[in-house]
Structure formats: C-alpha cells, structure tokens
Coordinates of all heavy atoms in Angstrom, one line a residue:
L1 N 40.8 11.1 -3.5 CA 40.5 11.9 -4.6 C 40.5 11.0 -5.9 O 41.3 10.1 -6.0 CB 41.6 13.0 -4.9 CG 41.9 13.9 -3.7 CD1 43.1 14.8 -4.1 CD2 40.7 14.8 -3.4
L2 N 39.5 11.3 -6.7 CA 39.3 10.5 -7.9 C 39.2 11.5 -9.1 O 38.3 12.3 -9.2 CB 38.1 9.7 -7.9 CG 37.8 8.7 -9.0 CD1 38.9 7.7 -9.1 CD2 36.5 8.0 -8.9
L3 N 40.3 11.5 -9.9 CA 40.3 12.4 -11.1 C 39.7 11.7 -12.2 O 40.1 10.6 -12.6 CB 41.8 12.8 -11.4 CG 42.0 13.8 -12.5 CD1 41.4 15.1 -12.2 CD2 43.5 13.9 -12.8
V4 N 38.6 12.3 -12.7 CA 37.8 11.7 -13.8 C 37.6 12.7 -14.9 O 37.8 13.9 -14.7 CB 36.4 11.2 -13.3 CG1 36.6 10.1 -12.2 CG2 35.6 12.4 -12.7
T5 N 37.1 12.2 -16.0 CA 36.7 13.1 -17.1 C 35.2 12.8 -17.4 O 34.8 11.7 -17.4 CB 37.5 12.8 -18.4 OG1 37.1 13.7 -19.4 CG2 37.5 11.4 -18.9
P6 N 34.5 13.9 -17.7 CA 33.1 13.7 -18.0 C 32.9 13.2 -19.5 O 31.8 12.8 -19.8 CB 32.5 15.1 -17.9 CG 33.6 16.1 -18.1 CD 34.8 15.3 -17.6
N7 N 34.0 13.3 -20.2 CA 33.9 12.8 -21.6 C 35.0 11.8 -21.9 O 36.0 12.1 -22.6 CB 34.1 14.0 -22.6 CG 33.1 15.1 -22.3 OD1 31.9 14.9 -22.3 ND2 33.6 16.3 -22.0
P8 N 34.8 10.6 -21.4 CA 35.8 9.5 -21.6 C 36.0 9.3 -23.1 O 35.1 9.3 -23.9 CB 35.2 8.3 -21.0 CG 34.2 8.8 -20.1 CD 33.7 10.1 -20.7
S9 N 37.3 9.1 -23.5 CA 37.7 9.0 -24.9 C 37.4 7.5 -25.4 O 37.4 7.3 -26.6 CB 39.1 9.4 -25.2 OG 40.0 8.6 -24.4
T10 N 37.3 6.6 -24.4 CA 37.1 5.2 -24.8 C 36.1 4.6 -23.9 O 35.8 5.1 -22.8 CB 38.4 4.4 -24.7 OG1 38.8 4.3 -23.3 CG2 39.5 5.0 -25.5
S11 N 35.5 3.5 -24.3 CA 34.5 2.8 -23.4 C 35.3 2.2 -22.2 O 34.7 2.1 -21.1 CB 33.7 1.7 -24.2 OG 34.6 0.7 -24.7
A12 N 36.5 1.8 -22.4 CA 37.3 1.3 -21.3 C 37.5 2.3 -20.2 O 37.4 2.0 -19.0 CB 38.7 0.8 -21.8
Q13 N 37.7 3.6 -20.6 CA 37.8 4.7 -19.6 C 36.5 4.9 -18.9 O 36.5 5.0 -17.7 CB 38.2 6.0 -20.3 CG 39.7 6.3 -20.1 CD 40.0 7.7 -20.6 OE1 39.1 8.5 -21.1 NE2 41.3 8.0 -20.6
E14 N 35.4 4.9 -19.6 CA 34.1 5.1 -19.1 C 33.8 4.0 -18.1 O 33.3 4.2 -17.0 CB 33.1 5.1 -20.2 CG 31.7 5.4 -19.7 CD 30.7 5.6 -20.9 OE1 31.1 5.4 -22.0 OE2 29.5 5.9 -20.6
N15 N 34.0 2.7 -18.5 CA 33.8 1.6 -17.6 C 34.6 1.6 -16.4 O 34.2 1.3 -15.3 CB 33.9 0.3 -18.4 CG 32.9 0.0 -19.4 OD1 31.7 0.5 -19.3 ND2 33.2 -0.7 -20.4
G16 N 35.9 2.0 -16.6 CA 36.8 2.1 -15.4 C 36.4 3.1 -14.4 O 36.4 2.8 -13.2
Q17 N 35.9 4.2 -14.9 CA 35.5 5.3 -13.9 C 34.2 4.8 -13.2 O 34.1 4.9 -12.0 CB 35.1 6.6 -14.7 CG 36.3 7.3 -15.2 CD 36.0 8.6 -15.9 OE1 36.9 9.4 -16.0 NE2 34.8 8.9 -16.3
R18 N 33.3 4.1 -13.9 CA 32.1 3.6 -13.3 C 32.4 2.6 -12.3 O 31.9 2.6 -11.1 CB 31.1 3.1 -14.4 CG 29.8 2.6 -13.8 CD 28.9 2.1 -14.9 NE 29.6 1.3 -16.0 CZ 30.0 0.1 -15.9 NH1 29.9 -0.6 -14.8 NH2 30.6 -0.5 -16.9
K19 N 33.3 1.6 -12.6 CA 33.6 0.6 -11.7 C 34.3 1.1 -10.4 O 34.0 0.6 -9.3 CB 34.5 -0.5 -12.4 CG 33.8 -1.3 -13.4 CD 34.7 -2.3 -14.1 CE 33.9 -3.1 -15.1 NZ 34.8 -4.0 -15.8
V20 N 35.2 2.0 -10.5 CA 35.9 2.6 -9.4 C 34.9 3.3 -8.5 O 34.9 3.1 -7.3 CB 37.1 3.5 -9.8 CG1 37.6 4.2 -8.6 CG2 38.2 2.7 -10.4
R21 N 34.0 4.1 -9.1 CA 33.0 4.8 -8.3 C 32.1 3.8 -7.5 O 31.9 3.9 -6.3 CB 32.0 5.6 -9.2 CG 32.6 6.9 -9.7 CD 31.5 7.6 -10.5 NE 32.0 8.7 -11.1 CZ 32.1 8.9 -12.4 NH1 31.7 7.9 -13.3 NH2 32.6 10.0 -12.9
T22 N 31.6 2.7 -8.2 CA 30.8 1.7 -7.6 C 31.5 1.0 -6.5 O 30.9 0.8 -5.4 CB 30.3 0.7 -8.7 OG1 29.6 1.4 -9.7 CG2 29.4 -0.4 -8.1
W23 N 32.7 0.6 -6.7 CA 33.5 -0.1 -5.7 C 33.7 0.8 -4.4 O 33.5 0.3 -3.3 CB 34.9 -0.5 -6.3 CG 35.7 -1.3 -5.3 CD1 35.5 -2.5 -4.8 CD2 36.9 -0.8 -4.6 NE1 36.5 -2.9 -3.9 CE2 37.3 -1.8 -3.7 CE3 37.5 0.4 -4.6 CZ2 38.4 -1.7 -2.9 CZ3 38.6 0.6 -3.8 CH2 39.1 -0.5 -2.9
M24 N 34.1 2.0 -4.7 CA 34.3 2.9 -3.5 C 33.0 3.2 -2.7 O 33.0 3.2 -1.5 CB 34.9 4.3 -4.0 CG 36.3 4.1 -4.4 SD 37.1 5.7 -4.8 CE 38.8 5.2 -5.0
Q25 N 31.9 3.3 -3.4 CA 30.6 3.5 -2.8 C 30.3 2.2 -2.0 O 29.8 2.3 -0.8 CB 29.5 3.7 -3.8 CG 29.6 5.1 -4.4 CD 28.6 5.3 -5.5 OE1 28.0 4.4 -6.0 NE2 28.6 6.6 -6.0
S26 N 30.5 1.0 -2.5 CA 30.2 -0.2 -1.8 C 31.0 -0.4 -0.6 O 30.6 -1.1 0.4 CB 30.3 -1.4 -2.8 OG 31.7 -1.7 -3.0
K27 N 32.2 0.1 -0.6 CA 33.1 0.0 0.6 C 33.0 1.2 1.5 O 33.7 1.3 2.5 CB 34.6 -0.1 0.1 CG 34.9 -1.4 -0.7 CD 34.7 -2.6 0.0 CE 35.0 -3.8 -0.8 NZ 34.6 -5.1 -0.1
K28 N 32.1 2.1 1.2 CA 31.8 3.3 2.0 C 33.1 4.1 2.1 O 33.4 4.7 3.2 CB 31.2 2.9 3.3 CG 29.9 2.3 3.2 CD 29.2 2.1 4.5 CE 27.9 1.3 4.4 NZ 27.1 1.2 3.3
I29 N 33.9 4.2 1.0 CA 35.1 5.0 1.0 C 34.6 6.4 0.6 O 34.0 6.6 -0.5 CB 36.1 4.5 0.0 CG1 36.6 3.1 0.5 CG2 37.3 5.4 -0.1 CD1 37.4 2.3 -0.5
R30 N 34.9 7.4 1.4 CA 34.6 8.8 1.1 C 35.6 9.2 0.0 O 36.8 9.1 0.1 CB 34.7 9.6 2.3 CG 34.1 11.0 2.2 CD 34.1 11.7 3.5 NE 35.5 12.1 3.7 CZ 36.1 12.5 4.8 NH1 35.3 12.4 5.9 NH2 37.3 12.9 4.9
V31 N 35.0 9.7 -1.1 CA 35.8 10.1 -2.2 C 35.3 11.5 -2.7 O 34.2 11.8 -2.7 CB 35.8 9.0 -3.3 CG1 34.4 8.9 -3.9 CG2 36.8 9.4 -4.4
R32 N 36.3 12.3 -3.1 CA 36.0 13.6 -3.7 C 36.4 13.4 -5.2 O 37.6 13.2 -5.5 CB 36.8 14.7 -3.1 CG 36.6 16.0 -3.8 CD 37.3 17.1 -3.0 NE 37.6 18.2 -3.9 CZ 38.7 18.9 -4.0 NH1 39.7 18.6 -3.2 NH2 38.8 19.8 -4.9
E33 N 35.4 13.5 -6.1 CA 35.7 13.5 -7.5 C 36.1 14.8 -8.0 O 35.5 15.8 -7.6 CB 34.5 13.0 -8.3 CG 34.2 11.5 -8.2 CD 33.3 11.0 -9.2 OE1 33.1 11.7 -10.3 OE2 32.7 9.9 -9.0
I34 N 37.1 14.8 -8.9 CA 37.6 16.0 -9.5 C 37.5 15.9 -11.0 O 38.0 15.0 -11.6 CB 39.1 16.3 -9.1 CG1 39.1 16.5 -7.6 CG2 39.6 17.5 -9.8 CD1 40.5 16.6 -7.0
D35 N 36.7 16.8 -11.6 CA 36.5 16.9 -13.0 C 37.7 17.4 -13.7 O 38.1 18.6 -13.4 CB 35.3 17.7 -13.3 CG 34.9 17.9 -14.7 OD1 35.8 17.6 -15.6 OD2 33.8 18.4 -15.0
A36 N 38.4 16.6 -14.5 CA 39.6 17.0 -15.2 C 39.4 18.2 -16.1 O 40.3 18.9 -16.5 CB 40.2 15.9 -15.9
T37 N 38.1 18.5 -16.5 CA 37.9 19.6 -17.4 C 37.5 20.8 -16.6 O 37.3 21.9 -17.2 CB 36.7 19.3 -18.4 OG1 35.5 19.1 -17.7 CG2 37.0 18.0 -19.2
G38 N 37.4 20.7 -15.3 CA 37.1 21.8 -14.5 C 38.3 22.7 -14.1 O 38.8 23.4 -15.0
D39 N 38.7 22.6 -12.9 CA 39.8 23.4 -12.3 C 41.1 23.0 -12.9 O 41.6 22.0 -12.5 CB 39.8 23.4 -10.8 CG 40.7 24.3 -10.2 OD1 41.7 24.7 -10.8 OD2 40.5 24.7 -9.0
V40 N 41.6 23.7 -13.9 CA 42.8 23.3 -14.6 C 44.0 23.3 -13.7 O 44.9 22.4 -13.8 CB 43.0 24.2 -15.8 CG1 44.3 23.9 -16.5 CG2 41.9 24.1 -16.8
A41 N 44.1 24.2 -12.7 CA 45.2 24.2 -11.8 C 45.3 23.0 -11.0 O 46.4 22.4 -10.8 CB 45.2 25.5 -11.0
V42 N 44.1 22.5 -10.5 CA 44.1 21.3 -9.6 C 44.4 20.1 -10.5 O 45.2 19.2 -10.1 CB 42.7 21.1 -9.0 CG1 42.6 19.8 -8.3 CG2 42.5 22.3 -8.0
R43 N 43.8 20.0 -11.7 CA 44.1 18.9 -12.6 C 45.6 18.8 -12.9 O 46.2 17.8 -12.9 CB 43.3 19.1 -13.9 CG 43.6 18.0 -14.9 CD 43.3 18.4 -16.3 NE 44.1 19.5 -16.8 CZ 43.8 20.2 -17.8 NH1 42.7 20.1 -18.5 NH2 44.7 21.2 -18.2
D44 N 46.2 20.0 -13.2 CA 47.6 20.0 -13.6 C 48.5 19.6 -12.4 O 49.5 18.9 -12.6 CB 48.0 21.3 -14.2 CG 47.5 21.5 -15.6 OD1 47.0 20.5 -16.2 OD2 47.6 22.7 -16.1
E45 N 48.1 20.0 -11.2 CA 48.8 19.6 -10.0 C 48.7 18.1 -9.8 O 49.8 17.4 -9.6 CB 48.2 20.3 -8.8 CG 48.9 19.9 -7.5 CD 48.2 20.5 -6.2 OE1 47.4 21.4 -6.4 OE2 48.6 20.1 -5.1
L46 N 47.6 17.5 -10.0 CA 47.4 16.0 -9.9 C 48.2 15.3 -11.0 O 48.8 14.3 -10.8 CB 45.9 15.6 -9.9 CG 45.2 16.1 -8.6 CD1 43.7 15.8 -8.8 CD2 45.7 15.5 -7.4
F47 N 48.1 15.8 -12.2 CA 48.9 15.2 -13.3 C 50.4 15.2 -13.0 O 51.1 14.3 -13.3 CB 48.7 16.0 -14.6 CG 47.4 15.7 -15.4 CD1 47.1 16.5 -16.4 CD2 46.6 14.6 -15.1 CE1 45.9 16.3 -17.2 CE2 45.5 14.4 -15.8 CZ 45.1 15.2 -16.9
G48 N 50.8 16.3 -12.3 CA 52.3 16.4 -11.9 C 52.6 15.4 -10.9 O 53.7 14.8 -10.9
I49 N 51.7 15.1 -10.0 CA 51.9 14.1 -8.9 C 51.9 12.7 -9.5 O 52.8 11.9 -9.2 CB 50.9 14.2 -7.8 CG1 51.0 15.5 -7.0 CG2 50.9 13.0 -6.8 CD1 49.9 15.9 -6.1
S50 N 51.0 12.4 -10.4 CA 50.9 11.1 -11.0 C 51.9 10.8 -12.1 O 52.3 9.7 -12.4 CB 49.5 10.8 -11.5 OG 49.2 11.6 -12.7
G51 N 52.3 11.9 -12.8 CA 53.2 11.7 -13.9 C 52.4 11.2 -15.2 O 53.0 10.8 -16.2
V52 N 51.1 11.2 -15.1 CA 50.2 10.7 -16.2 C 49.2 11.8 -16.6 O 48.6 12.4 -15.8 CB 49.4 9.5 -15.7 CG1 48.5 9.0 -16.8 CG2 50.3 8.4 -15.2
R53 N 49.1 12.0 -17.9 CA 48.2 13.0 -18.4 C 47.2 12.3 -19.3 O 47.5 11.4 -20.1 CB 48.9 14.1 -19.3 CG 49.8 14.9 -18.5 CD 50.4 16.0 -19.4 NE 49.5 17.1 -19.7 CZ 49.1 18.1 -18.8 NH1 49.7 18.2 -17.7 NH2 48.3 19.0 -19.2
G54 N 45.9 12.7 -19.2 CA 44.9 12.2 -20.1 C 44.4 10.8 -20.0 O 43.7 10.3 -20.8
N55 N 44.8 10.1 -18.9 CA 44.4 8.7 -18.7 C 43.6 8.7 -17.4 O 44.1 9.1 -16.3 CB 45.6 7.8 -18.6 CG 45.2 6.3 -18.6 OD1 44.1 6.0 -18.5 ND2 46.2 5.5 -18.9
F56 N 42.3 8.3 -17.5 CA 41.4 8.3 -16.3 C 40.7 7.0 -16.1 O 40.6 6.2 -17.0 CB 40.3 9.4 -16.6 CG 40.9 10.7 -16.9 CD1 41.0 11.1 -18.3 CD2 41.3 11.6 -15.9 CE1 41.5 12.3 -18.6 CE2 41.8 12.8 -16.2 CZ 41.9 13.2 -17.6
P57 N 40.3 6.7 -14.9 CA 40.4 7.5 -13.7 C 41.8 7.4 -13.0 O 42.5 6.4 -13.2 CB 39.4 6.9 -12.7 CG 39.3 5.4 -13.1 CD 39.6 5.4 -14.6
Q58 N 42.2 8.4 -12.3 CA 43.4 8.4 -11.5 C 43.0 8.6 -10.0 O 42.1 9.4 -9.7 CB 44.3 9.6 -11.9 CG 44.8 9.5 -13.3 CD 45.8 10.6 -13.6 OE1 46.5 11.1 -12.8 NE2 45.9 10.9 -14.9
T59 N 43.5 7.7 -9.2 CA 43.2 7.7 -7.8 C 44.3 8.2 -6.9 O 45.5 7.8 -7.1 CB 42.8 6.3 -7.4 OG1 41.8 5.8 -8.3 CG2 42.2 6.2 -6.0
F60 N 44.0 9.0 -6.0 CA 44.9 9.7 -5.0 C 44.4 9.6 -3.6 O 43.2 9.4 -3.4 CB 45.1 11.2 -5.4 CG 45.5 11.4 -6.8 CD1 44.6 11.5 -7.8 CD2 46.9 11.7 -7.0 CE1 45.0 11.8 -9.1 CE2 47.3 12.0 -8.3 CZ 46.4 12.0 -9.4
I61 N 45.3 9.6 -2.6 CA 44.9 9.8 -1.2 C 45.5 11.1 -0.7 O 46.6 11.4 -1.0 CB 45.5 8.6 -0.4 CG1 44.8 7.3 -0.7 CG2 45.4 8.9 1.1 CD1 45.3 6.1 0.0
K62 N 44.6 11.8 -0.1 CA 45.0 13.1 0.5 C 45.0 13.0 2.0 O 43.9 12.6 2.6 CB 44.1 14.2 0.1 CG 44.5 15.6 0.6 CD 43.6 16.7 0.1 CE 44.2 18.0 0.6 NZ 43.4 19.1 0.2
E63 N 46.1 13.2 2.7 CA 46.2 13.2 4.1 C 46.8 14.6 4.5 O 48.0 14.8 4.2 CB 47.1 12.1 4.6 CG 46.5 10.7 4.3 CD 47.4 9.6 4.7 OE1 48.6 9.5 4.2 OE2 47.0 8.7 5.5
G64 N 46.0 15.4 5.1 CA 46.4 16.7 5.4 C 46.7 17.5 4.1 O 45.8 17.5 3.3
D65 N 47.9 18.0 4.0 CA 48.2 18.7 2.8 C 48.9 17.8 1.8 O 49.3 18.3 0.7 CB 49.1 19.9 3.1 CG 48.3 21.0 3.8 OD1 47.1 21.1 3.7 OD2 49.0 21.8 4.5
E66 N 49.2 16.6 2.2 CA 49.9 15.7 1.3 C 49.0 14.9 0.4 O 48.0 14.3 0.9 CB 50.8 14.7 2.1 CG 51.6 13.8 1.3 CD 52.3 12.7 2.2 OE1 52.4 12.9 3.4 OE2 52.8 11.8 1.6
V67 N 49.3 14.8 -0.9 CA 48.6 14.1 -1.8 C 49.5 13.0 -2.5 O 50.6 13.4 -3.0 CB 47.9 15.0 -2.9 CG1 47.2 14.1 -4.0 CG2 47.0 16.0 -2.3
R68 N 49.1 11.7 -2.4 CA 49.8 10.7 -3.0 C 49.0 10.0 -4.1 O 47.8 9.7 -3.9 CB 50.2 9.6 -1.9 CG 51.1 10.1 -0.9 CD 51.4 9.0 0.1 NE 50.1 8.3 0.4 CZ 49.9 7.5 1.4 NH1 50.8 7.3 2.3 NH2 48.7 6.9 1.5
F69 N 49.7 9.6 -5.2 CA 49.1 8.9 -6.3 C 49.0 7.5 -5.9 O 50.0 6.8 -5.6 CB 50.0 9.1 -7.5 CG 49.4 8.4 -8.8 CD1 48.2 8.6 -9.2 CD2 50.3 7.6 -9.5 CE1 47.7 8.0 -10.4 CE2 49.8 6.9 -10.6 CZ 48.5 7.1 -11.0
I70 N 47.9 6.9 -6.1 CA 47.7 5.4 -5.8 C 47.8 4.7 -7.1 O 48.5 3.6 -7.1 CB 46.3 5.2 -5.1 CG1 46.2 5.9 -3.8 CG2 46.1 3.7 -4.9 CD1 47.3 5.7 -2.8
G71 N 47.1 5.1 -8.1 CA 47.2 4.4 -9.4 C 46.1 4.7 -10.3 O 45.1 5.4 -10.0
L72 N 46.2 4.1 -11.5 CA 45.2 4.2 -12.6 C 44.2 3.0 -12.3 O 44.3 2.3 -11.3 CB 45.9 4.1 -13.9 CG 46.8 5.2 -14.3 CD1 47.6 4.9 -15.6 CD2 46.1 6.5 -14.5
Y73 N 43.3 2.9 -13.2 CA 42.3 1.8 -13.1 C 42.8 0.5 -12.8 O 42.3 -0.3 -12.0 CB 41.3 1.8 -14.3 CG 40.3 0.7 -14.2 CD1 39.3 0.7 -13.2 CD2 40.5 -0.4 -15.0 CE1 38.5 -0.4 -13.1 CE2 39.6 -1.5 -14.9 CZ 38.6 -1.5 -13.9 OH 37.8 -2.5 -13.8
D74 N 43.9 0.1 -13.5 CA 44.4 -1.3 -13.4 C 44.9 -1.6 -12.0 O 44.7 -2.7 -11.5 CB 45.5 -1.6 -14.4 CG 46.7 -0.6 -14.3 OD1 46.5 0.5 -13.8 OD2 47.8 -1.0 -14.7
V75 N 45.4 -0.6 -11.3 CA 45.8 -0.8 -9.9 C 44.6 -1.0 -9.0 O 44.6 -1.9 -8.1 CB 46.7 0.4 -9.4 CG1 47.0 0.3 -7.9 CG2 48.0 0.4 -10.2
I76 N 43.6 -0.1 -9.2 CA 42.4 -0.2 -8.4 C 41.7 -1.5 -8.7 O 41.2 -2.2 -7.8 CB 41.5 1.0 -8.6 CG1 42.2 2.3 -8.3 CG2 40.2 0.9 -7.8 CD1 42.8 2.4 -6.9
E77 N 41.7 -1.9 -9.9 CA 41.0 -3.2 -10.3 C 41.7 -4.4 -9.5 O 41.0 -5.3 -9.1 CB 41.1 -3.4 -11.8 CG 40.5 -4.7 -12.3 CD 40.6 -4.9 -13.8 OE1 41.7 -4.6 -14.3 OE2 39.6 -5.4 -14.4
G78 N 43.0 -4.3 -9.4 CA 43.7 -5.3 -8.6 C 43.3 -5.4 -7.2 O 43.2 -6.4 -6.5
M79 N 43.0 -4.2 -6.6 CA 42.5 -4.1 -5.2 C 41.1 -4.7 -5.1 O 40.7 -5.3 -4.1 CB 42.5 -2.7 -4.7 CG 43.8 -2.1 -4.6 SD 43.7 -0.4 -4.1 CE 45.3 0.1 -4.0
I80 N 40.3 -4.5 -6.2 CA 38.9 -4.9 -6.1 C 38.8 -6.4 -6.1 O 38.0 -7.0 -5.5 CB 38.1 -4.3 -7.4 CG1 38.0 -2.8 -7.2 CG2 36.7 -5.0 -7.5 CD1 37.4 -2.1 -8.5
E81 N 39.7 -7.1 -6.9 CA 39.7 -8.5 -7.1 C 40.4 -9.1 -5.9 O 40.3 -9.6 -5.0 CB 40.4 -8.9 -8.3 CG 39.6 -8.4 -9.6 CD 40.4 -8.7 -10.9 OE1 41.5 -9.2 -10.8 OE2 39.8 -8.4 -11.9

C-alpha cells in the first residue's frame, strides 16, 4: 500500500511520491495507491498504524488482514540505493 496525496505541499513530497512509484513499477512490485484525500477512514487507519500524519508517501505491506508500516520516503530511498 502506498499512501499518497494528490496535492503535495512541497516539491520534496512530490518528488518522493514519483520516485517511489517509479521504483516499484521498475521492480514489478504490485502496489495499491491510496489517496489520502479520499477515504478518510482508511487514511486515518493508516495514520494510526504509522504514527505519522500529513507526511507522504507512506509505504505499508498488507498480508491478509494485517497491515504493517514500512516507512516514509527516506526508508524507501535507502532500499532503492
């Protein structure tokens, strides 16, 4: 799961979202993007899991009914490099 915003507040957020999408596509990682401005209940559930509000992108892994927070862009960036 990739929690994103359609209206990034900074160019760093916008670039981070783009880079994570591109990396996941290049690795053929199946990802479901969730628009943080869309389903507020889902967004708030993910915010509760991550402990972070308003910072995007946020990456999660869903296995069955369990959702685990992987990290913000800086964690994913470390995986990319």
